[in-house]
Amino acid sequence: MTQHVSPPRDGTGKAAPLVGPPAWRVRLGRADVRTLTLLGVLAVLVLIGGITQPDSFLDTHNLQLVLTQASVIGVVTVGMTFVIVSGGIDLSVGAIVALSSVWATTVATQEYGFAGILFTAIVVGVGCGLVNGLLISFGGMVPFIATLAMLASARGLALQITDGRTQVVTVPSVLDLAERDSYVLGIPPLVLVFAAVTVVGWLVLNRTTFGRRTVAVGGNAEAARLAGIDVRRQRLYLYLLSGLCCGIAAFLLIALAGSGQNTNGNLYELDAIAAAIIGGTLLTGGRGHIIGSVLGVLIFTTITNIFALNNLQTDVQQIAKGAIIVAAVLVQRRTASTH
């Protein structure tokens, strides 16, 4: 005989509603744990750097250098996060940064000064993003293949423009951005740009219809289409956004290095994807966190700085990065299975 179990009742004798915590509270709790974990990892790295090289690592100039170096790849990572949240991938970001930087530092472009260099870098970045978006959204190409083709093409064009030579920037107003005299309250201008891009990216992803559509497309593209979202147009916009971030990053790199080279942005695509992954963005799409991605960038940049200060080999550094990526993916899989 089957035993009937009565629902729980409150003090009035009425059945109590079986309601769990709100969904937003559950998501917020997960985000808090993830953010605190990443902050803990970053704090441990800072502690290691302070112990191994107390005079060098904790020096104000070195900390400013770490933040400045993180700014370039950080801007790229913000755009990459949007693409991955939508279920896509962009392997061409490093090559787009290189092409944008060399196109913006040609002699003809530098004649137009600061505005000419900035405008050219952004236009080239957006143009490459447009090609990626059209091939993927309307050409039916797989993102991996389309962006891989862009990677090869952009690198080749960058090499053709420079002929393998370094293009030195001669515009003082651009070079001044990396000088200490231009710092605002001790903060380099490049870091301020990175902070602004991060804030805007967070607001767009979490507080706008565009962000909600991006998450919907990444979670289930067919369901998003049936809900009235133009999936192809949304994906086009996302690759345009990625290209825009690459153009901005190229300008920051030009100001930082004082030159444009066809080797700029080497392996940026891998660093940006890795930073997004350890920040909690799912490679399968449907979930992403701008703040987590930024913390991922800071973690990797800090690791690189600590290894450089301690004169450790690059191969050990790459092994450490790989171990962190694997650990982050395993944590993601465990979290998904327990919720």
Side-chain angles (χ1 to χ4, degrees), residues 23 60 71 77 94 114 156 198 222 270 275 330:
T60 303
S71 298
T77 302
F114 185 101
T198 299
E222 180 61 21
L270 299 184
L330 291 177

Side-chain angles (χ1 to χ4, degrees), residues 70-93:
S71 298
V72 180
I73 183 62
V75 172
V76 174
T77 302
V78 171
M80 180 70 79
T81 300
F82 275 89
V83 171
I84 296 179
V85 169
S86 73
I89 199 73
D90 191 347
L91 301 179
S92 64
V93 290

Side-chain angles (χ1 to χ4, degrees), residues 17 112 140 203 226 233 331-332 335:
Y112 294 94
L203 290 174
L226 294 175
R233 183 180 298 178
V331 169
Q332 279 190 5
T335 301

Side-chain angles (χ1 to χ4, degrees), residues 52-328:
T52 57
Q53 294 290 334
D55 296 331
S56 303
F57 181 79
L58 296 178
D59 182 72
T60 303
H61 294 175
N62 183 63
L63 295 178
Q64 290 172 335
L65 175 62
V66 170
L67 291 175
T68 301
Q69 292 176 337
S71 298
V72 180
I73 183 62
V75 172
V76 174
T77 302
V78 171
M80 180 70 79
T81 300
F82 275 89
V83 171
I84 296 179
V85 169
S86 73
I89 199 73
D90 191 347
L91 301 179
S92 64
V93 290
I96 294 175
V97 169
L99 180 58
S100 299
S101 69
V102 300
W103 207 323
T105 54
T106 60
V107 175
T109 303
Q110 292 194 50
E111 291 180 355
Y112 294 94
F114 185 101
I117 294 176
L118 175 61
F119 177 78
T120 302
I122 290 179
V123 167
V124 173
V126 172
C128 292
L130 175 63
V131 174
N132 280 336
L134 290 174
L135 289 176
I136 295 167
S137 300
F138 297 95
M141 292 187 68
V142 177
F144 183 91
I145 300 300
T147 57
L148 184 63
M150 175 58 72
L151 183 157
S153 302
R155 283 289 179 193
L157 185 55
L159 178 60
Q160 186 177 49
I161 292 175
T162 61
D163 197 22
R165 301 186 181 93
T166 299
Q167 298 178 164
V168 179
V169 176
T170 59
V171 180
S173 56
V174 174
L175 299 175
D176 289 344
L177 292 176
E179 299 297 328
R180 295 190 58 81
D181 293 340
S182 62
Y183 288 10
V184 180
L185 299 177
I187 304 176
L190 276 64
V191 177
L192 294 176
V193 174
F194 175 34
V197 171
T198 299
V199 171
V200 173
W202 185 89
L203 290 174
V204 171
L205 184 60
N206 296 280
R207 294 291 184 268
T208 66
T209 302
F210 182 88
R212 289 190 290 272
R213 288 175 177 172
T214 300
V215 174
V217 170
N220 190 321
E222 180 61 21
R225 185 187 66 82
L226 294 175
I229 298 175
D230 191 331
V231 175
R232 294 191 300 178
R233 183 180 298 178
Q234 184 70 18
R235 285 175 174 161
L236 173 61
Y237 290 158
L238 288 166
Y239 282 95
L240 285 173
L241 177 61
S242 179
L244 172 63
C245 289
C246 290
I248 296 173
F251 180 77
L252 298 183
L253 188 58
I254 290 170
L256 181 62
S259 63
Q261 304 178 54
N262 66 285
T263 56
N264 281 344
N266 187 35
L267 297 182
Y268 272 20
E269 55 278 358
L270 299 184
D271 288 342
I273 294 171
I277 290 174
I278 72 170
T281 299
L282 293 180
L283 271 176
T284 52
R287 191 182 78 191
H289 309 275
I290 297 295
I291 301 301
S293 297
V294 170
L295 290 175
V297 170
L298 293 176
I299 287 173
F300 281 141
T301 308
T302 303
I303 291 175
T304 301
N305 184 259
I306 292 174
F307 273 70
L309 291 178
N310 287 279
N311 296 318
L312 297 177
Q313 296 180 354
T314 305
D315 54 353
V316 181
Q317 172 185 325
Q318 298 302 326
I319 293 173
K321 286 184 177 181
I324 292 175
I325 295 171
V326 171

